Amino acid sequence: MPLSAEFQGRRPARGGTIPAGVASSRLKDKNPKFPLFPTPCPRLFWGTAWKQFRADALKLIASGDRVLAMVSGGPDSMAMAHWLALLLKKHQFQWAIAHFNHGLRPGAVLVFHQVRELAQRLNVSFYYRRLNVKGLLQKRRLSLEDAARRLRYREAHDLARRHGFNKIAAAHTLEEQAESVLLNILRGGSLQGLLGARPMRPVAARSRIMLIRPMLGTSKKILMEFLNSQKIVYDRDPMNDDPRFLRSRIRHELLPKLQELHPRALEHLSGLAFKLGVK
């Protein structure tokens, strides 16, 4: 079995494309005052979360860019998809959604349908591929997380090349940036590792397609408040809470303790990565 399988028809078992045309600003919604959202967003959203995301995204997405957003169905990527649609109202670019099934969870088909319905509602093209993570693990000595990430980025890169996207968006948040810094410290990583996740980098060696992370300045708490206020359905991957993974223990044990010691620990860890990356 190949490491990724192409879509045949509309079944979610393989992979492929369901086009919905180029994303446009003519998106219909029941709430004309706050387009895209069924209920008015809290005023705090516009002054904090949206202001931060818009500022970060405009540094990464230029007019005329074609952006392929990786949407897993989890809270982070679901928020990013809605915010990219909102950004389109004021900024000229094109975008689409890519969803990957890692073949590790029995509920993956349900998540597939949720993300596909989101793409249809936002009027953007939808790309889907199933990844053979277990097959890669049999060939190479990698952790489950690393194998899944490598396949996901490789297949996103292939989709971008095939369909003319010059940027791939990943929904890494402020918390994940702090986690990456701590993870590299605990593993005795290099100075390069302390940089954490860069806002923009080539998705692969010698590639002109860039991987962008417009959510690095956004906290999980703020995006969860947005999702809950809009009653947006999202998926929770149990692997994210599995204590067998070091990143999960950092998320649920170490970061809360650090925030008890200092309420802005997340911002400072993320800021450290940014300062080290400034040339």
Side-chain angles (χ1 to χ4, degrees):
M1 179 180 178
L3 296 181
S4 68
E6 288 294 340
F7 181 81
Q8 301 294 334
R10 286 180 175 266
R11 293 176 300 167
R14 296 183 184 272
T17 309
I18 299 177
V22 175
S24 73
S25 60
R26 299 186 299 275
L27 295 172
K28 298 179 181 179
D29 195 88
K30 298 178 182 178
N31 185 358
K33 186 176 181 181
F34 299 94
L36 302 177
F37 307 140
T39 59
C41 291
R43 183 173 296 179
L44 184 63
F45 165 78
W46 300 108
T48 56
W50 172 245
K51 185 177 181 181
Q52 180 70 58
F53 175 82
R54 185 175 184 272
D56 292 342
L58 290 178
K59 295 175 185 176
L60 303 173
I61 301 174
S63 179
D65 276 348
R66 287 175 52 81
V67 180
L68 183 64
M70 296 191 293
V71 179
S72 67
D76 304 347
S77 61
M78 291 295 278
M80 181 181 72
H82 283 84
W83 295 354
L84 284 173
L86 184 59
L87 184 68
L88 191 67
K89 300 285 187 179
K90 302 293 184 181
H91 193 51
Q92 295 300 314
F93 67 101
Q94 298 174 4
W95 75 291
I97 287 175
H99 177 69
F100 302 101
N101 177 358
H102 299 86
L104 302 172
R105 298 176 55 199
V109 173
L110 176 60
V111 180
F112 162 84
H113 287 296
Q114 290 174 345
V115 179
R116 183 179 67 173
E117 289 170 5
L118 173 67
Q120 291 172 339
R121 187 171 72 82
L122 297 181
N123 192 33
V124 297
S125 293
F126 176 76
Y127 300 91
Y128 170 85
R129 284 191 181 179
R130 179 166 180 162
L131 312 180
N132 187 7
V133 177
K134 293 180 180 178
L136 180 59
L137 287 172
Q138 292 174 354
K139 295 180 179 181
R140 301 185 61 179
R141 296 183 62 182
L142 299 169
S143 69
L144 184 63
E145 288 179 300
D146 193 21
R149 182 177 62 254
R150 291 189 185 204
L151 277 182
R152 186 166 59 248
Y153 284 0
R154 193 182 78 179
E155 295 305 311
H157 186 211
D158 184 62
L159 282 171
R161 285 192 300 106
R162 288 174 180 268
H163 299 283
F165 295 97
N166 66 317
K167 288 177 180 174
I168 297 169
H172 296 124
T173 63
L174 182 70
E175 283 82 354
E176 287 175 295
Q177 180 72 305
E179 291 165 13
S180 295
V181 173
L182 291 172
L183 191 63
N184 282 291
I185 291 174
L186 293 175
R187 288 176 172 171
S190 64
L191 181 61
Q192 184 71 21
L194 293 179
L195 297 179
R198 284 176 286 172
M200 182 163 61
R201 67 167 176 82
V203 69
R206 297 182 295 278
S207 175
R208 295 183 179 180
I209 299 172
M210 305 301 290
L211 176 68
I212 62 172
R213 298 180 172 98
M215 305 280 284
L216 282 181
T218 303
S219 74
K220 189 89 166 186
K221 178 182 177 182
I222 289 178
L223 71 86
M224 290 301 296
E225 289 174 353
F226 162 77
L227 293 173
N228 292 332
S229 73
Q230 299 303 308
K231 297 180 173 59
I232 295 171
V233 177
Y234 55 85
D235 175 61
R236 281 197 176 277
D237 187 346
M239 288 180 60
N240 291 333
D241 300 323
D242 192 331
R244 292 177 298 173
F245 300 114
L246 180 57
R247 181 180 286 272
S248 178
R249 296 195 65 182
I250 290 173
R251 178 179 302 134
H252 296 291
E253 298 176 28
L254 184 54
L255 281 182
K257 290 294 183 183
L258 291 175
Q259 288 177 290
E260 284 181 16
L261 294 172
H262 198 292
R264 298 194 64 190
L266 293 179
E267 290 90 338
H268 292 165
L269 284 167
S270 181
L272 173 64
F274 174 77
K275 291 173 184 177
L276 289 172
V278 173
K279 295 182 180 180

